[in-house]
Amino acid sequence: MVEAVLAKFNIRLELDRDNLARHQILLLLFLLQALTVWSVLTFNGLSAYLSLSLYAGPMYAALSLILFGKVISYLLRFVRYEKSEKTPTRMLSDFRDGWLNADYLLAFSIPILFLPSFISLFSSLKTVIPEINGFYLDRTFAELDRFLHFGIDPWVITHSIFDGPVSAGVLDFCYKLWFLLMFIYVLWQVVNVSQGHRRAQFLCAFLLIWFVLGNVMAVLLSSAGPCYYHVVMPGNDLYAPLMNKLGLYYEELKAAGGFLQLDSHNMQKQLLDYYQKGELGAGSGISAMPSMHVAVSALLYFSARELNRYAGRFFLAFLVLIQVSSVHLGWHYAVDGYFSIIATWGLWRLSGWLVARYTSDQETAWSR
C-alpha cells in the first residue's frame, strides 16, 4: 500500500551515493562537536551550562522566511509558463520533483535538524572558557599587535583613518549586519541543495570553523579582548584611551538620536554582565582569539567567489570592513582576525578535500 502511494505521487526514495556521503560527513561533525562539548563540560563539572535549544527559535524563524522565499520562487516560475502549462498538475509536478524525493529531504533535513543545537553547544562552551582555561594571553596579543604594526596599536591606526562618531557608527552598523548576512547565506545554502559539492564544502567548513576555531582554539588561546583588558589585567588598563573615546562617541550618537548608534558599547557591557554573573544566554561568552566575526566573513568570501566575481568582491570588501570594525570598536586584537583568516582558508581547503575524498566530486576548491 505504501509503495502504491509513493508510486502514485512519484515520490523517489533512492539516495544518490555522493549526496549520502556528503551528509554523513556533516552528521559526523555534528556528533563530534556534541560529544566534545558534553565531555569537556562534564569533566569540568559545568554540565549545567549545556544547552541544545538556545538558538532554536531565531534559526527556525529565519528558516521560515527562507522557505517562504523558495515557495515564492516556485510561484514565479509557474507564472512564466505557457498558458497551456499553467495547471495545478504542473505546479504539483514541479514541487514533487524538487522537494518530494529522498535526496532533497536528506540534504535539507540534516543541517536543519542539527544546526540550532550545534550553535547552542558552541555558546555553552564559549560561556565557560574562563572556567576551563582562564584568560592568559591578552598581554601577549596586545604586544604582538604593537610589534606587527611598527610599535603602534592597531586601533590608533583605524581611528586616524576613520575618525569621529559617525565613522564609528558606520563600522558598528557593519558589525551588526554580519549577523543578518551570515544567517541569510547559511540558510540559503541549506535550502539550495542543487549546489552539490559547493554547498557541502561550505557547510562542512562552516561547522569546522565554529568547532575548531570557536571552541577548541578559543579555549587553548584564551583571551578576553581589548574592551575587557582592564577586567583580566587589573591595574593595567592599556586600552582605556580607546574605550573612553568610544564611550564619548556612544553618548554623542545617542544624543543625536539618528539611525547610527554605537550598540557595541551596550553589547560589551551586557556580555561583561553575563561573565561576572556566570550566566548562559543568547550571545553570552567572552572570547577574543580567534575572531568568529572575521572567520565567518572570510568563509563567506571563499564561498561567494565560487558563485561569481561580483559576490566575491562584495564579501571581500565586507571581510575588510569586519576586520577593521573588530579592532576599531575594541572587540578584538588585530592578530585575532589575521589568525582567523589564515585558519579559515585552511579549513575551507580541508573541507574541499573531504568532499572530494569521500564522493566522486572532482570540481572542488582543493584543486584550485
Side-chain angles (χ1 to χ4, degrees):
M1 181 176 178
V2 174
E3 292 181 355
V5 173
L6 295 175
K8 179 179 179 180
F9 289 97
N10 194 28
I11 299 176
R12 301 190 301 274
L13 292 182
E14 297 84 3
L15 279 172
D16 176 76
R17 179 180 176 183
D18 286 344
N19 185 48
L20 179 61
R22 294 183 195 118
H23 292 88
Q24 285 176 332
I25 295 171
L26 295 181
L27 185 58
L28 286 173
L29 288 175
F30 281 128
L31 296 177
L32 176 61
Q33 186 241 18
L35 179 61
T36 301
V37 173
W38 176 82
S39 299
V40 170
L41 293 182
T42 302
F43 178 79
N44 288 277
L46 299 166
S47 56
Y49 287 91
L50 192 68
S51 173
L52 296 174
S53 59
L54 196 59
Y55 295 98
M59 290 199 70
Y60 286 133
L63 173 64
S64 299
L65 294 177
I66 297 294
L67 291 178
F68 176 75
K70 196 168 181 68
V71 170
I72 293 298
S73 72
Y74 270 91
L75 294 176
L76 292 176
R77 182 192 304 177
F78 180 75
V79 169
R80 292 196 297 267
Y81 288 155
E82 296 293 333
K83 186 175 181 180
S84 60
E85 295 181 307
K86 292 181 179 180
T87 63
T89 302
R90 178 58 188 270
M91 182 180 289
L92 179 61
S93 176
D94 285 347
F95 180 80
R96 180 185 60 225
D97 292 342
W99 290 56
L100 297 182
N101 64 81
D103 277 323
Y104 184 88
L105 292 175
L106 174 69
F108 178 79
S109 300
I110 292 296
I112 284 303
L113 290 174
F114 288 94
L115 264 177
S117 295
F118 181 88
I119 300 298
S120 297
L121 287 170
F122 159 79
S123 279
S124 296
L125 185 54
K126 180 184 176 183
T127 300
V128 297
I129 286 176
E131 300 294 327
I132 300 170
N133 188 21
F135 300 126
Y136 74 102
L137 284 174
D138 284 87
R139 184 192 297 276
T140 300
F141 292 147
E143 292 174 351
L144 183 57
D145 256 7
R146 187 170 291 179
F147 172 77
L148 292 175
H149 297 86
F150 309 101
I152 304 173
D153 288 319
W155 71 265
V156 175
I157 299 173
T158 67
H159 278 262
S160 67
I161 300 172
F162 304 102
D163 191 26
V166 174
S167 295
V170 170
L171 292 175
D172 184 82
F173 173 78
C174 293
Y175 211 70
K176 291 180 292 188
L177 184 62
W178 175 87
F179 291 95
L180 179 63
L181 288 180
M182 177 186 65
F183 273 111
I184 290 176
Y185 198 95
V186 171
L187 291 173
W188 174 75
Q189 289 280 8
V190 168
V191 300
N192 195 21
V193 300
S194 62
Q195 288 291 313
H197 71 270
R198 288 190 176 93
R199 173 183 180 271
Q201 183 180 3
F202 172 83
L203 291 175
C204 180
F206 184 77
L207 299 184
L208 283 173
I209 64 173
W210 284 98
F211 176 43
V212 175
L213 301 186
N215 281 155
V216 177
M217 297 307 298
V219 171
L220 296 177
L221 302 175
S222 181
S223 56
C227 58
Y228 304 117
Y229 197 87
H230 65 288
V231 177
V232 298
M233 300 291 294
N236 186 10
D237 196 354
L238 180 62
Y239 292 90
L242 168 62
M243 302 315 297
N244 290 337
K245 178 180 283 193
L246 291 173
L248 292 174
Y249 290 166
Y250 168 79
E251 295 297 339
E252 289 183 39
L253 291 172
K254 182 179 179 181
F259 171 75
L260 294 176
Q261 297 294 317
L262 205 61
D263 291 327
S264 290
H265 186 76
N266 283 332
M267 291 175 64
Q268 288 164 358
K269 288 185 176 180
Q270 182 179 0
L271 290 181
L272 180 59
D273 189 54
Y274 276 133
Y275 166 70
Q276 292 174 334
K277 292 180 179 178
E279 293 180 350
L280 173 67
S284 64
I286 292 174
S287 177
M289 171 68 86
S291 167
M292 294 309 298
H293 267 72
V294 174
V296 171
S297 300
L299 177 61
L300 296 183
Y301 164 63
F302 296 141
S303 174
R305 68 179 181 175
E306 303 296 330
L307 301 177
N308 62 68
R309 66 177 184 273
Y310 299 109
R313 289 171 182 172
F314 171 82
F315 280 106
L316 177 59
F318 187 69
L319 169 59
V320 173
L321 280 173
I322 292 299
Q323 169 67 13
V324 171
S325 300
S326 70
V327 173
H328 194 87
L329 301 172
W331 286 108
H332 289 280
Y333 307 103
V335 292
D336 299 341
Y338 301 156
F339 177 87
S340 297
I341 293 171
I342 296 171
T344 299
W345 176 80
L347 293 174
W348 169 252
R349 299 272 295 191
L350 174 62
S351 299
W353 177 81
L354 284 172
V355 172
R357 173 67 177 80
Y358 294 102
T359 72
S360 61
D361 292 327
Q362 300 300 318
E363 186 188 355
T364 67
W366 183 258
S367 62
R368 281 190 283 273

